[in-house]
Amino acid sequence: MKDILVNNFLRYVKISSQSDASKKTLPTSSGQLELAKLLKEELEELKLSNIKLDENGILTACIKADESKKSIGFVAHLDTIDVGLSPNVNAQILKFTGDDLDLGKAILKVEQRPEIKKYLNEEIIFSDGSSVLGADNKASVAILMTLAKEFAKNKDIPNVYFAFVPDEEIGLLGSKVLNLDDFCPDYAYTIDCCELGELMYETFNAASAKLFIKGVSAHPMNAYNVMLNPSILASEFTLLFDRLQSPENTKDKQGYIWINELFANQNEAIVGLNIRDHDKNLFEEKKEFIRKAVYFMQEKYKRAEFKLEISDTYSNIKDAMNDKNKIALDKLKQAFKLCNIEPKIIAMRGGTDGSALSKRGLFVPNFFTGAYNFHSQFEFLPISSFLKSYEVAKTLITNS
């Protein structure tokens, strides 16, 4: 299956499918729908059951097999991240011999990317340096489609559900509206990040906040005791936050408040914030701190207007785990053992589609694709690790 797996990946990354946060449609880009339609055609050729591409660009399907076994599911996202690089991926396979690699449009320097040293004399998939590679998450898409091909006619396995969802990169949008009647396994997984052996069932709780400030404008010649400069008000608001609780000063399971947007003119200002924490109580405390900071500003500057909006984005996967669905984690650890892979259990400082699904009551652990440097022109996917990821997914099915 190696050639099928790699060739599937190389085919799928050719389809530009960056999500677009400026759009209100779902999916937010035509490339995601193009990819979903291609996958649908390939699943139809394999004669899978219950194939459905809905109005949101969400594709679901199922291998119908042994109904007496607990069913299993996999979720992959169709979009790739837009970080200002080319939307077009020109993937290539290079052998790493220990020297810096000329990707074509960029040079990967070993000194700056020491993680590549683990893969001396191995074949690795790169972009040409003008774009991300798109292993996030087309490595998973390729794994799922290769599983579909291998097991399409196998009746000795449990029912296997597949879901391909759009716009994970801009808020897990597809998984938030995934129809759980179409995707209804007993337990499920995402395959979304990172190096060989990584296993995750803890993610951040996440929320976003926006503060809208309306000041009082006046000409400088008669501004005395009149003007309330929204730029100054916004700056003063940001100084209420502890710099030691920002992303650049936190690690591991430490949460943060990230002031990631600041816009101001003579009349108004907007401050955008992201709130993150693995601990639900600390997460709620951070939101309450922001509310109190806004209240403080409003009391101090009564002639100004302060309007705060806070919305939850996703939840910690672990919060959805219980005695009944913990089987998903137990099965994953067992699959690692059967594949002779030492698990590296980490708390992800981010989220997966499982984070959105956990809020809907579905416990969805995550495991590695084998790739490195997501969201970077130096993203790369060692083929040996890619195959190990596929082996874990296959073992989850055969060992159910």
Side-chain angles (χ1 to χ4, degrees):
M1 284 290 169
K2 173 186 174 181
D3 290 342
I4 295 174
L5 178 66
V6 173
N7 287 336
N8 277 345
F9 177 74
L10 295 176
R11 286 192 301 113
Y12 301 146
V13 295
K14 287 181 180 179
I15 299 175
S16 175
S17 60
Q18 290 182 347
S19 44
D20 185 348
S22 70
K23 300 290 180 60
K24 300 300 182 183
T25 58
L26 188 64
T28 61
S29 60
S30 60
Q32 293 183 76
L33 189 56
E34 179 185 350
L35 177 58
K37 288 178 178 178
L38 173 64
L39 300 178
K40 179 175 181 286
E41 290 175 3
E42 294 179 4
L43 293 171
E44 287 173 341
E45 289 176 4
L46 294 171
K47 301 188 184 306
L48 264 65
S49 301
N50 302 344
I51 300 170
K52 179 180 177 182
L53 179 58
D54 73 11
E55 67 278 6
N56 295 312
I58 297 171
L59 174 64
T60 51
C62 182
I63 298 173
K64 290 287 189 180
D66 189 343
E67 300 278 353
S68 68
K69 297 180 179 180
K70 286 190 175 295
S71 58
I72 183 173
F74 296 94
V75 183
H77 64 86
L78 299 163
D79 61 322
T80 57
I81 189 71
D82 182 359
V83 289
L85 297 170
S86 172
N88 302 311
V89 177
N90 297 305
Q92 57 185 324
I93 300 174
L94 300 175
K95 187 175 183 179
F96 174 58
T97 59
D99 299 322
D100 293 347
L101 283 166
D102 185 351
L103 303 181
K105 303 292 185 180
I107 304 294
L108 186 147
K109 295 184 179 297
V110 176
E111 183 179 345
Q112 297 174 0
R113 306 286 171 175
E115 62 274 8
I116 200 171
K117 293 179 181 179
K118 298 178 183 178
Y119 303 99
L120 185 64
N121 295 320
E122 290 197 26
E123 289 187 320
I124 304 174
I125 309 176
F126 300 87
S127 75
D128 64 1
S130 66
S131 70
V132 301
L133 174 61
D136 177 13
N137 193 224
K138 288 176 182 174
S140 180
V141 173
I143 288 171
L144 269 54
M145 294 302 294
T146 308
L147 289 172
K149 183 175 181 62
E150 181 163 359
F151 289 103
K153 298 179 181 178
N154 192 320
K155 297 301 180 183
D156 295 325
I157 60 170
N159 289 351
V160 182
Y161 290 86
F162 300 100
F164 302 89
V165 299
D167 295 305
E168 185 266 0
E169 297 287 2
I170 55 173
L172 317 181
L173 303 183
S175 53
K176 289 178 178 178
V177 296
L178 170 61
N179 189 328
L180 297 182
D181 290 328
D182 297 327
F183 182 78
C184 52
D186 289 306
Y187 55 95
Y189 304 93
T190 55
I191 312 171
D192 191 1
C193 188
C194 291
E195 69 174 300
L196 174 65
E198 288 197 0
L199 186 161
M200 305 162 206
Y201 61 97
E202 290 186 75
T203 59
F204 272 144
N205 294 289
S208 61
K210 277 198 174 183
L211 175 61
F212 300 88
I213 304 171
K214 186 175 181 181
V216 179
S217 181
H219 193 284
M221 73 173 64
N222 57 3
Y224 182 72
N225 280 340
V226 175
M227 179 185 290
L228 280 178
N229 186 338
S231 299
I232 300 298
L233 299 180
S235 297
E236 184 175 334
F237 172 74
T238 65
L239 292 175
L240 298 174
F241 294 87
D242 185 353
R243 282 291 306 279
L244 294 180
Q245 291 193 34
S246 59
E248 64 269 30
N249 291 308
T250 53
K251 61 181 180 178
D252 302 326
K253 295 185 74 171
Q254 297 171 328
Y256 60 76
I257 296 174
W258 179 21
I259 300 168
N260 63 356
E261 180 183 20
L262 185 57
F263 164 82
N265 58 31
Q266 295 181 39
N267 297 303
E268 62 182 358
I270 299 173
V271 183
L273 309 97
N274 278 354
I275 306 110
R276 300 288 188 270
D277 210 294
H278 291 93
D279 184 279
K280 186 71 172 177
N281 291 329
L282 294 177
F283 176 62
E284 294 300 330
E285 286 179 12
K286 287 178 170 60
K287 290 193 284 186
E288 184 60 23
F289 179 86
I290 294 172
R291 293 186 186 99
K292 288 180 178 178
V294 173
Y295 179 80
F296 170 82
M297 293 294 294
Q298 185 67 78
E299 287 298 296
K300 185 174 181 180
Y301 299 103
K302 293 184 182 296
R303 292 187 299 121
E305 294 181 13
F306 296 84
K307 180 183 177 183
L308 176 67
E309 296 178 357
I310 299 179
S311 58
D312 287 348
T313 309
Y314 57 81
S315 299
N316 189 343
I317 291 173
K318 188 179 179 181
D319 291 342
M321 186 172 71
N322 55 43
D323 290 340
K324 183 178 180 181
N325 61 29
K326 187 176 177 290
I327 184 176
L329 181 58
D330 296 337
K331 289 285 188 182
L332 184 55
K333 290 179 177 178
Q334 188 177 23
F336 270 53
K337 185 175 182 180
L338 291 171
C339 295
N340 296 311
I341 299 170
E342 184 68 28
K344 302 172 185 175
I345 299 176
I346 63 172
M348 179 186 278
R349 290 181 62 80
T352 68
D353 282 308
S355 304
L357 292 169
S358 73
K359 193 170 183 178
R360 304 176 65 189
L362 187 61
F363 176 57
V364 184
N366 180 76
F367 63 95
F368 67 95
T369 60
Y372 288 81
N373 301 327
F374 288 126
H375 300 191
S376 163
Q377 67 196 112
F378 298 112
E379 182 182 3
F380 67 85
L381 177 60
I383 291 178
S384 62
S385 297
F386 190 21
L387 290 171
K388 279 292 186 181
S389 179
Y390 180 76
E391 185 180 346
V392 170
K394 178 179 176 178
T395 302
L396 284 167
I397 294 174
T398 57
N399 195 49
S400 293

